């Protein structure tokens, strides 16, 4: 029997989620009414707004009907990870869409950008409301290392939509970089899914030590990419071509190079935090 819990819609998190549904729905509706663009960036923005809108609506329905209590997953981990991921995705869409598809006289595009920015603020607020507080017992994804794993996976997604197959397929060095991005993304995704599905006990070794070892390996691999990607990508191509349009391939190379450096910093922070938890925190 389904029990309706109206309190889930009146608490701060519930109100924030309802506003998120409205704003993301407005964003993708306005953009869809303008027309379609054959670009990975446009597809990313549309996917972001549609995905965030309907998953947030799904969460609202599940909590309102109390059906989330019957789902065999860690619901708190799922909602926290989704809030963090949505914050990052909507932030990226709020930057990418106006950069490539908005002009001074584009009313609908400007309105979509404004609603997207407001949705980003709301998702960031939700992260603050649901993130685990110091000393609070919670799931892994509600902690700083868990949120960093979501951030690492998100940055890898931005790298993927910026890749040019025609370029990296010609150089073994760039293929190594793509392999590193893919392997680290897959492992981060596995950790997130295993946490949500409560399968961490299947790891044959202590999870915290496995995580620390993976973080060290990821840092080393990303360090090679920070050197190799610019070396091959900008060889004889040091500046932006003068005849390049708004969606220039050179810009994509810069995005990948910057996001590679950014993800390296995130992995370093994650590694330091993991070392601190594993080797320097004594059990109570």
């Amino acid at each position: 029997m389904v029990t309706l819990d109206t309190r889930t819609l009146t608490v701060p998190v519930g109100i924030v989620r309802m506003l998120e549904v409205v704003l993301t729905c407005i964003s993708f509706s306005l953009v869809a009414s303008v027309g379609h663009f054959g670009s990975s960036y446009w597809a990313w923005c549309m996917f972001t707004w549609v995905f965030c809108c309907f998953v947030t609506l799904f969460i609202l329905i599940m909590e309102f009907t109390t059906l989330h209590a019957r789902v065999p997953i860690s619901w708190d981990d799922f909602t926290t990870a989704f809030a963090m991921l949505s914050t990052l995705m909507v932030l990226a869409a709020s930057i990418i869409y106006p950069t490539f598809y908005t002009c001074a006289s584009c009313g609908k595009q400007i309105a979509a950008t404004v609603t997207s920015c407001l949705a980003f603020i709301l998702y960031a607020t939700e992260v603050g409301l649901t993130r685990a507080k110091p000393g609070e017992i919670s799931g892994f994804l509600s902690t700083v290392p868990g949120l960093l794993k979501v951030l690492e996976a998100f940055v890898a997604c931005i790298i993927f939509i910026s890749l040019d197959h025609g370029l990296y397929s010609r150089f073994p060095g760039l293929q190594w970089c793509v392999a590193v991005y893919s392997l680290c993304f897959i492992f981060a995704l596995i950790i997130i899914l295993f946490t949500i599905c409560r399968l961490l006990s299947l790891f044959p070794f202590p999870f915290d030590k496995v995580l620390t070892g993976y973080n060290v390996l990821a840092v080393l691999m990303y360090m090679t990419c920070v050197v190799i990607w610019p070396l091959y990508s900008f060889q004889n191509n040091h500046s932006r071509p003068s005849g390049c349009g708004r969606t220039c391939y050179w810009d994509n190379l810069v995005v990948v190079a910057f996001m590679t450096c950014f993800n390296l910093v995130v992995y370093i922070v994650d590694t330091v935090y993991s070392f601190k938890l594993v080797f320097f925190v004594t059990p109570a």
Side-chain angles (χ1 to χ4, degrees):
M1 181 178 177
V2 175
T3 304
L4 301 182
D5 184 4
T6 56
R7 182 178 172 277
T8 59
L9 302 179
T10 57
V11 295
V13 174
I15 295 171
V16 167
R17 285 172 179 162
M18 287 190 288
L19 292 174
E20 290 165 356
V21 171
V22 173
L23 290 173
T24 50
C25 181
I26 292 173
S27 295
F28 77 73
S29 299
L30 287 171
V31 172
S33 68
V34 174
H36 172 73
F37 292 90
S39 165
S40 60
Y41 288 133
W42 186 90
W44 168 264
C45 294
M46 279 296 287
F47 170 77
T48 293
W49 294 318
V50 173
F51 172 76
C52 293
C53 176
F54 285 99
V55 176
T56 305
L57 182 61
F58 168 76
I59 291 173
L60 280 170
I61 293 172
M62 292 294 286
E63 294 195 346
F64 178 64
T65 57
T66 65
L67 290 175
H68 69 285
R70 306 179 188 178
V71 179
I73 64 172
S74 175
W75 186 257
D76 289 339
D77 273 323
F78 168 69
T79 54
T80 302
F82 171 73
M84 178 64 174
L85 180 62
S86 297
T87 301
L88 297 170
M89 291 176 67
V90 175
L91 173 62
S94 301
I95 296 172
I96 292 171
Y97 189 76
T99 300
F100 294 108
Y101 308 109
T102 303
C103 61
S105 59
C106 302
K108 290 184 177 180
Q109 291 92 327
I110 293 173
T113 301
V114 171
T115 54
S116 183
C117 291
L118 293 174
F120 157 69
I121 295 172
L122 289 172
Y123 277 112
T125 302
E126 183 181 347
V127 171
L129 292 172
T130 58
R131 189 178 71 82
K133 307 302 185 294
E136 185 177 283
I137 299 175
S138 62
F140 171 72
L141 294 179
S142 300
T143 63
V144 172
L147 295 176
L148 286 174
K149 277 287 162 280
V150 177
L151 178 58
E152 291 157 5
F154 164 76
V155 173
C157 289
I158 297 297
I159 291 174
F160 292 145
I161 66 172
S162 303
L163 289 174
D164 182 354
H165 179 267
L167 175 68
Y168 73 76
S169 61
R170 291 183 288 147
F171 301 103
L174 297 185
Q175 291 174 18
W176 160 256
C177 293
V178 174
V180 170
Y181 303 145
S182 302
L183 289 172
C184 292
F185 170 75
I186 290 171
F187 197 86
L189 194 62
I190 288 173
I191 291 174
I192 293 170
L193 292 177
F194 270 51
T195 302
I196 292 173
C197 297
R198 297 173 177 170
L199 298 175
L200 292 179
S201 60
L202 297 180
F203 276 91
F205 306 103
F207 174 67
D208 54 352
K209 292 181 172 58
V210 171
L211 198 59
T212 303
Y214 157 71
N215 286 336
V216 172
L217 182 61
V219 167
L220 295 175
M221 291 194 297
Y222 259 89
M223 286 177 68
T224 65
C225 295
V226 166
V227 176
I228 293 174
W229 183 267
L231 184 65
Y232 282 92
S233 298
F234 302 110
Q235 190 175 24
N236 302 320
N237 189 26
H238 302 298
S239 59
R240 194 177 194 270
S242 57
C244 238
R246 296 186 74 180
T247 55
C248 181
Y249 75 93
W250 194 85
D251 296 338
N252 293 343
L253 299 178
V254 174
V255 170
V256 175
F258 174 79
M259 286 299 177
T260 301
C261 295
F262 182 82
N263 226 13
L264 173 61
V265 173
V266 176
Y267 273 108
I268 291 174
V269 173
D270 198 359
T271 302
V272 171
Y273 208 97
S274 297
F275 265 96
K276 178 183 175 182
L277 292 178
V278 173
F279 299 107
F280 297 102
V281 175
T282 56

